[in-house]
Amino acid sequence: MRKIFHIAFLLIFLLLYTTHAADKKYVLPSFESYVITNFTADNGLPQNTVDMVKQTSNGYLWIGTYAGLARYDGVKFIHYNKSITPAFKINHVTTMYEDTFGTSWFGTNGGGIVRLAKHSFSALSSFTSNGEEYIKTIQQSDGRNII
């Protein structure tokens, strides 16, 4: 009997709560409350053609362009390309994936895959940089394997 009373009380509470919540309308903030900033090569990007934008778990925004990779921390950009970072065999960064361990994987248009782990970039050695390694997407298959 006590169990039936608890279930009935719970159902009545849920019914009253959902009816009350439905009366309140959710109001979106006005468009003016958002700040929109356009970034170009004039104010920080390596180049104006952007192929990918991703945010990693540590808050950085990564932007892949034809002229290299840019990391944005909310204040300034840091650039990575083949002349600054030898792991990049080509500048054109096309995709990025952050795995469950916090390692970032960058795909390129002709230069294979570059890994960023513990603040160090390294190229996957199986790629020869003969221009045929166009990487369009990177995934994690089972929590361990990157495909």
Side-chain angles (χ1 to χ4, degrees):
M1 180 71 170
R2 188 173 193 171
K3 191 173 191 179
I4 293 173
F5 174 75
H6 285 280
I7 292 172
F9 177 77
L10 181 61
L11 288 174
I12 291 170
F13 174 76
L14 288 174
L15 179 65
L16 292 174
Y17 178 76
T18 55
T19 304
H20 177 70
D23 290 340
K24 292 184 178 183
K25 295 187 188 245
Y26 179 74
V27 178
L28 292 174
S30 68
F31 187 72
E32 291 80 27
S33 66
Y34 293 101
V35 175
I36 298 173
T37 305
N38 292 322
F39 292 109
T40 65
D42 294 334
N43 60 357
L45 287 179
Q47 199 259 347
N48 287 333
T49 305
V50 173
D51 270 346
M52 74 87 192
V53 177
K54 299 271 175 128
Q55 186 173 19
T56 50
S57 59
N58 58 8
Y60 290 121
L61 199 62
W62 294 88
I63 299 116
T65 73
Y66 280 51
L69 182 67
R71 185 188 78 187
Y72 183 64
D73 63 5
V75 177
K76 68 182 183 302
F77 287 94
I78 296 178
H79 298 177
Y80 304 93
N81 59 39
K82 68 180 184 177
S83 60
I84 299 168
T85 310
F88 285 99
K89 307 300 182 213
I90 195 165
N91 287 332
H92 187 183
V93 178
T94 56
T95 190
M96 178 196 168
Y97 181 77
E98 183 182 23
D99 67 20
T100 55
F101 303 105
T103 300
S104 294
W105 303 82
F106 301 94
T108 66
N109 184 9
I113 296 177
V114 176
R115 180 180 71 165
L116 172 61
K118 298 179 183 173
H119 309 289
S120 178
F121 286 94
S122 60
L124 260 61
S125 60
S126 62
F127 289 98
T128 59
S129 188
N130 62 7
E132 297 177 7
E133 300 89 8
Y134 176 77
I135 310 298
K136 191 171 184 175
T137 187
I138 301 170
Q139 302 281 325
Q140 193 166 11
S141 65
D142 59 3
R144 297 189 72 93
N145 295 321
I146 299 295
I147 54 173

